[in-house]
Amino acid sequence: MGLPIELTYLAASILFILGLKGLSHPETARRGMIFAEIGMFLAIVGTLLHREIVSYEWIIAGLIIGSLIGGAISIWVPMTAMPQRTALSHAFGALAASLVGVSEYYRHGAGELGTFKMTALSLEVLLGGITVTGSLMAFIKLQDWIRGTPITYRGQNVFNMSLLAITVGMFAYLIFDPSAHSLFYAMAGLAFVFGVLLVLPIGAADMPVVMSLMNSYAGLAAAATGFAISNNVLIIAGTLDGFSGFILSILMCRAMNRSITNVLFGAFGAETASGESASLGDMREVKADDIAVQLAYAGQVVFVPGYGMATAQAQHAVRELANILEARGVTVKYAIHPVAGRMPGHMNVLLAEANVPYSSLYDLEQINGEFPATDVAVVIGANDVVNPDARDNPKSAIAGMPILEVDKAHSVVVLKRGKGKGFAGIENPLFFKPNCGMLYGDAKASLIKLAGAVQNA
Ligand code: NAP
């Protein structure tokens, strides 16, 4: 490979790293994305101008089709369907890696493939295949095309592990004997089947963890492609992608106080978990007008958004209520739990869409100490992330998960439609506490009602 192309790849790799660094904070995220986009542009143009390209027709056709699909997805898929969108793009990326792997194997013939190249090719096809069907399954579950709850049967984990062991066995054999053509294609087929079986027993709400794992596999498949076709930028970008996805999966699991194996094999959410607090008493329903008076004369109000804010698309209504309160001199803060909603940064993305300033967003560590000095905590469609059982009941299914301690505020109001449970499927003792009132209804409608009532207060 020539020096100019290597320098282009080096520049692209540096831009990818700067992009990742930028993405670590909301204020620098846009700049990070621009760095990453320029990096990708350089990598693609550099590769296309490189003399190894023999024909541009198919590449141009692929570029046009890909750009049309990408453009359509970015215009028409709403923010709330971001997890599905991410799942689809992982599936496409992994399909590309798998196809390159299969075509390289077909093109070279087993005789020319040494141990190193065969290992890279097999890894690429194995990880790529699992990611394609695993991501598509995640998409189907999130889109509610099949039921989102875990689909389980007796002996499932043993069956899946045996299938994986057979596939890995084929992988190992192929390294020593690349000429076993049918074994190579059988391994590719089994990888696709395993992707489906891996995701079936995982609940829809655990899909963000699955997807960041799939992101990791797709990245590693791309890195393996880089080794297989001797392309340095693919190796670097794939490795960055692979490890950042893996780190994100671990961080998400930590924020839920669960292990990766529990997410992958625990069928979480399949049935109501045990260890709930018994006979909690009655929930106290409150009226919008009464809450409005409390809000209007409060010193500090903390909004606590959760998954229900996303389903209700209530982010703009929250901002409008906050504006009205701030105009009256009330201090308004937003408490953001790392796993509120259904994907990392879910609440940040929605609130940013409604132009809520970053400086008003507080994470767990920053805000928990402030609840005792908060007049009203307004819980907007959040449940598990404010469940005091996680802190107080060691037998709870979510015991040990860090929570937003809204129960310590002077007064708490919970906006939800009814008595529906959260993702963990367990009761929430917060709703039965004497300082907590329930305002039933769709979160957006309730917030609009509250805004009107505060203006009249
Ligand atoms: P949650 O525990 O899932 O609770 C959401 C609540 O919103 C429900 O109790 C529901 O009650 C209410 N709701 C739904 N639609 C509503 C609407 N239109 N208007 C008003 N309320 C509505 O949500 P969370 O507190 O945000 O917790 C997130 C959960 O997801 C955690 O258990 C977390 O571990 C898990 N999880 C998150 C991620 C991530 O990356 N963020 C990843 C994997 C798992 P009603 O039905 O009564 O309305």
Side-chain angles (χ1 to χ4, degrees), residues 70-85:
I73 289 177
S74 69
I75 293 169
W76 284 303
V77 177
M79 273 289 203
T80 39
M82 188 75 92
Q84 287 94 308
R85 181 166 135 180

Side-chain angles (χ1 to χ4, degrees), residues 355-390:
N355 291 323
V356 171
Y358 297 129
S359 55
S360 302
L361 308 189
Y362 292 79
D363 62 28
L364 261 170
E365 292 77 23
Q366 294 169 312
I367 201 77
N368 266 346
E370 293 211 23
F371 281 117
T374 297
D375 298 292
V376 193
V378 185
V379 176
I380 307 160
N383 192 337
D384 295 344
V385 300
V386 292
N387 189 335
D389 252 4

Side-chain angles (χ1 to χ4, degrees), residues 205-206 208 252 256 306-308 311-312 339-344 381-385 415-423 441-443:
D206 270 340
M252 265 193 272
M256 295 191 285
Y307 178 61
T311 53
V339 292
R342 291 293 184 269
M343 63 173 189
N383 192 337
D384 295 344
V385 300
L415 276 48
K416 69 202 292 284
R417 295 163 307 176
K419 300 197 171 155
K421 291 182 173 152
F423 156 65
D442 175 74

